[in-house]
Amino acid sequence: MAPRVIAPDGEAPSANPGMAVRVRAWLADQVLAQADRWRLWTPVAFGCGCAVYFALPIEPPVWPLLVFGALLVAALAWGWRRLGLAWLIPLTLVAFLASGLAIAKLRSDAVAAPIAPADAGIVGIEGWVVDVSSPGTRGARVVLAPTWIEGLDAEAIPHRLTVSLRGEAMRPDEAVSIRGVLNPPPEPASPGAFDFGRNAWFQSVGGTVLSISQPRPVILREPPWPLRLKMAINGMRFDLGRRIVERLGQPSGGIAAAMTTGHEAWIAEADEQAMRDSGLAHILSISGLHMAIVGGFVFFAIRLMVAAWPWLALRAPGKKIAALAGSLAVGIYLVVSGAPPPAERAAIVAWVAFAAILLDRRAVSMNALALAALIVLLRRPESVVQPGFQMSFAATAALVALAEAWPPRLKEISAPWPIVAFQRARSWLFVALMASLVAGLATGPFAMHHFNRSAVFGLAANLAVAPISSFVMMPALAVGAAMEAAGWGGPVLWLAGQSIDWMMGIGRFTANLPGAVVTVPSAPAVALPIAFLGILFVCLWRGRLRWLGLPFACAVLIWSRPPAPDLWIGPEGTNAALRAGDTVQVVRPNVRLFAVDLWTRRRGVEPASPELAERVCRRSWCALTSETGSAAIWFGRRAPDDAQLSELCAAGEVVAVRTPVTNLPTACDGRLVLDGRDLARGSVELWREGDGWRGVWTDDLRGERPWVQ
């Protein structure tokens, strides 16, 4: 038996002393491979700082954030040439994180505007129609710039209101007088759901109005020139959209108008639902796909024209001329579309790519994408918590990473043209399939978390529609809309209408397939940022270590879901739902359907047939009794008396009263009674715990922020 060798320090030596050395060397090589990639993490750090601001439970003061950010930037400037990378990289990322936090706070203060009071009731309103908004559940909607609101002082008037109308929408730049129910922006449908009030805050929308009268024209003082300019542009967009609809008719004209001008007022609800269920709804929203096709079409068309003119091709840089033309086309399309945030983000990405061409840099690169993301976040820090930003940049980062890893194409030498055509078509099909697959995987976690739905056949539908939208529909819409401004767009718009009909045929067929849509309940809120960072790590890290981010990228998919609440009481206590397994019974099945739909999808439950529960409704209250419990809600604006309260408590073990209650009758002993003071904290989810209830309110998660009343 060989003698045992003992190391000088008393430990046995490794059986393979070279293994640890090789592992350390490999890890060092992996880190060194990121030498030119660390700058890509600066917009990620900046975005994390923005996200920290929105995650805070209370509104921070601005001066400590500015001082902290300034100190970090000064330390970074001091250590730029004095510190090694081991210190410089963390310091840079922390400085960008602090800057993002400070910029988000400054942006929130800059857009601060009055919010409509919660108890305004029915008021008279006068103002200017600024734009036509997407239709709501009650019909057409417009954005109004109010100049007078009954009962409010001038300094308390919101800058913008969203008005739900009776009948059709008016043209922008009209001065109108209406009478309607004024409310603050809607709160989340349930704790942790999308915060509509926060979104409205950053758009300077201070309230919503449900019109109870027909709008009447009035004479108002001339508005300031920025508002006049905005209304003139929106009026032009509205007129163009209406002419497109008149040319093509519905439904293809409504979809063409939405893809050209951003106005969705003419889209049929059934068509919009079919687009969602087939995974094609992103085509309706003007975003990266539209900007890329329009800008790319103009770029290649101008470059081809320059190349076809030998005299000009020898004297001018055709690629740079085409890049300037593409930038101009993207800018015009941004104006015509109304510059919604998704279109603005896509335009910035396109401008950065064209600027790279003008500066003799690579147009499609991670550096260009990182610069575009930083510009977007500097301009609109709130984008970091919006689904559109998360999905668009995750998809773009995944596609750029795919392009970086894609092997270069070998050029054929003296091959017959049929073989070359076949090989090109095969390559295009494979590239399109891989691009759709990668983009779908990158956006999947966000679609699951925010929209709670997954289009099972979305990949097939998008693959089938891709050649139609890229080569026919979008170029025809761009050219047709430009020609329609002079009244000559008929033939080209007809071609666009035909391609839209082809797309809708694919969408309807896909949406009607069995199991076309799967509802996925939302994961806990912490899962989404983990998934986002995991996706970015897979895309930004160079080398095999990137796959360490894959399990984190799947966080939304694999994270266990908490049990759904046993009872949900909606905003203002006007509706409620009782859970029984994977189904729920809604107390008022025909009221607040939007909030009910958002909550049921977020919790992964389905509304059961109303006939399966005992339901009693009176003028001001409703009660429901099912196999799992009972609940009663008082939705009247006038407080109930003792007899009515006793009747409510007899009908439900949980009672929600919209108004404050001062005294409870003996019939309410042992009942959980929530009155207007409790419901002022927003909607509530309740879980049974023994003989009692545990509740979570919306405002518990929203915190004390400027957009929370």
Side-chain angles (χ1 to χ4, degrees):
M1 181 175 180
R4 185 182 180 191
V5 179
I6 304 298
D9 58 359
E11 297 182 358
S14 172
N16 188 358
M19 178 63 69
V21 175
R22 288 198 297 269
V23 170
R24 285 197 297 269
W26 181 79
L27 289 175
D29 291 340
Q30 293 293 309
V31 174
L32 290 175
Q34 318 307 316
D36 60 342
R37 308 281 283 187
W38 293 114
R39 67 173 70 94
L40 303 179
W41 291 94
T42 53
V44 178
F46 190 89
C48 288
C50 299
V52 167
Y53 168 77
F54 292 104
L56 294 176
I58 60 173
E59 187 68 13
V62 67
W63 66 265
L65 302 181
L66 293 177
V67 171
F68 181 58
L71 289 176
L72 283 173
V73 172
L76 181 61
W78 174 85
W80 187 255
R81 296 187 180 276
R82 295 178 176 88
L83 300 176
L85 287 179
W87 287 96
L88 190 60
I89 291 173
L91 181 60
T92 301
L93 296 181
V94 173
F96 271 85
L97 188 146
S99 300
L101 180 57
I103 292 296
K105 168 60 178 174
L106 291 175
R107 165 72 174 166
S108 178
D109 291 347
V111 299
I115 297 178
D119 56 352
I122 300 176
V123 297
I125 302 171
E126 293 179 354
W128 294 92
V129 178
V130 179
D131 199 4
V132 176
S133 184
S134 300
T137 56
R138 293 185 175 93
R141 292 190 302 173
V142 298
V143 177
L144 194 73
T147 58
W148 172 81
I149 297 179
E150 181 182 356
L152 292 184
D153 296 332
E155 61 273 9
I157 295 177
H159 294 178
R160 297 289 187 271
L161 296 172
T162 302
V163 183
S164 298
L165 299 170
R166 290 185 172 184
E168 296 183 355
M170 302 89 71
R171 185 185 186 278
D173 79 7
E174 290 187 16
V176 297
S177 171
I178 60 172
R179 194 160 185 83
V181 181
L182 176 63
N183 287 303
E187 61 191 45
S190 62
F194 182 76
D195 197 337
F196 297 97
R198 181 182 61 199
N199 197 50
W201 172 266
F202 286 94
Q203 295 177 354
S204 297
V205 176
T208 63
V209 178
L210 176 60
S211 177
I212 61 174
S213 67
Q214 293 291 341
R216 295 183 296 104
V218 294
I219 299 176
L220 300 176
R221 293 179 58 186
E222 188 176 61
W225 72 264
L227 182 57
R228 294 201 307 273
L229 177 61
K230 189 174 186 63
M231 290 191 298
I233 294 174
N234 292 337
M236 176 271 295
R237 294 172 48 232
F238 185 78
D239 291 340
L240 177 60
R242 186 163 51 189
R243 291 170 66 174
I244 291 175
V245 173
E246 292 173 354
R247 285 274 193 187
L248 301 180
Q250 290 188 341
S252 57
I255 294 174
M259 296 173 63
T260 305
T261 68
H263 284 139
E264 300 181 3
W266 298 285
I267 299 180
E269 184 177 352
D271 292 334
E272 191 171 4
Q273 186 64 45
M275 295 288 280
R276 283 197 295 263
D277 293 345
S278 61
L280 299 175
H282 64 94
I283 296 179
L284 296 178
S285 175
I286 298 175
S287 56
L289 173 67
H290 305 72
M291 291 293 176
I293 293 176
V294 171
F297 172 76
V298 173
F299 174 81
F300 287 110
I302 297 299
R303 193 174 183 189
L304 181 61
M305 292 171 60
V306 173
W309 187 0
W311 182 89
L312 182 61
L314 293 173
R315 291 167 174 80
K319 190 175 182 180
K320 293 186 178 182
I321 294 175
L324 287 173
S327 300
L328 181 61
V330 167
I332 293 173
Y333 191 22
L334 181 65
V335 172
V336 172
S337 67
E344 186 179 278
R345 290 193 296 266
I348 291 174
V349 173
W351 283 330
V352 169
F354 287 131
I357 294 175
L358 294 173
L359 298 174
D360 297 320
R361 298 290 189 270
R362 188 178 176 183
V364 180
S365 68
M366 281 295 182
N367 288 324
L369 179 63
L371 178 60
L374 190 58
I375 293 173
V376 170
L377 290 174
L378 280 168
R379 175 167 169 75
R380 296 183 183 271
E382 68 273 14
S383 299
V384 75
V385 293
Q386 294 175 349
F389 173 87
Q390 297 165 0
M391 297 178 73
S392 62
F393 276 94
T396 308
L399 292 174
V400 174
L402 178 65
E404 290 180 338
W406 199 265
R409 183 175 65 88
L410 297 177
K411 294 184 178 181
E412 303 83 357
I413 301 177
S414 301
W417 72 264
I419 296 178
V420 174
F422 172 76
Q423 291 176 340
R424 296 282 177 86
R426 183 186 61 184
S427 299
W428 180 88
L429 181 62
F430 184 65
V431 169
L433 177 63
M434 289 300 298
S436 298
L437 178 62
V438 167
L441 291 175
T443 58
F446 308 99
M448 292 178 186
H449 186 84
H450 292 295
F451 308 118
N452 307 111
R453 59 194 304 122
S454 177
V456 176
F457 306 109
L459 175 60
N462 279 278
L463 191 60
V465 168
I468 299 174
S469 61
S470 300
F471 301 122
V472 182
M473 185 170 61
M474 286 306 302
L477 282 176
V479 175
M483 295 176 65
E484 184 61 25
W488 303 335
V492 183
L493 287 177
W494 174 86
L495 179 60
Q498 294 299 307
S499 62
I500 289 173
D501 292 339
W502 302 336
M503 178 187 70
M504 289 305 303
I506 295 172
R508 294 190 189 100
F509 172 79
T510 308
N512 291 327
L513 291 175
V517 180
V518 175
T519 301
V520 183
S522 294
V526 69
L528 190 64
I530 291 176
F532 200 0
L533 292 176
I535 292 171
L536 292 177
F537 188 85
V538 171
C539 296
L540 301 184
W541 192 270
R542 178 177 289 166
R544 295 182 179 179
L545 278 180
R546 67 169 51 182
W547 301 115
L548 291 177
L550 189 58
F552 298 95
C554 299
V556 172
L557 181 63
I558 64 179
W559 205 292
S560 62
R561 269 57 172 172
D566 297 294
L567 176 63
W568 166 78
I569 301 175
E572 301 181 13
T574 56
N575 209 344
L578 277 168
R579 181 176 67 88
D582 293 333
T583 62
V584 295
Q585 283 289 349
V586 182
V587 176
R588 303 173 71 192
N590 298 319
V591 176
R592 294 270 184 173
L593 297 182
F594 182 69
V596 171
D597 178 63
L598 289 180
W599 177 74
T600 53
R601 285 195 285 110
R602 186 169 184 273
R603 287 303 185 180
V605 293
E606 295 289 338
S609 175
E611 291 78 15
L612 299 179
E614 181 182 348
R615 186 177 287 99
V616 177
C617 281
R618 299 290 185 264
R619 180 177 180 181
S620 298
W621 63 273
C622 278
L624 179 142
T625 303
S626 69
E627 58 183 12
T628 59
S630 59
I633 57 173
W634 177 274
F635 50 84
R637 292 186 176 272
R638 182 175 299 176
D641 55 28
D642 287 350
Q644 291 168 326
L645 271 176
S646 299
E647 195 173 8
L648 285 170
C649 291
E653 56 184 322
V654 177
V655 177
V657 182
R658 187 177 186 179
T659 58
V661 175
T662 54
N663 296 303
L664 293 177
T666 56
C668 293
D669 293 345
R671 305 295 193 185
L672 174 62
V673 180
L674 305 176
D675 70 350
R677 290 163 294 192
D678 301 305
L679 299 176
R681 298 165 59 192
S683 60
V684 58
E685 293 178 328
L686 297 167
W687 288 262
R688 292 181 185 272
E689 290 191 350
D691 295 332
W693 296 85
R694 176 176 62 88
V696 176
W697 270 263
T698 296
D699 285 0
D700 293 340
L701 302 181
R702 296 180 84 192
E704 300 178 11
R705 309 309 298 271
W707 49 85
V708 180
Q709 286 202 325

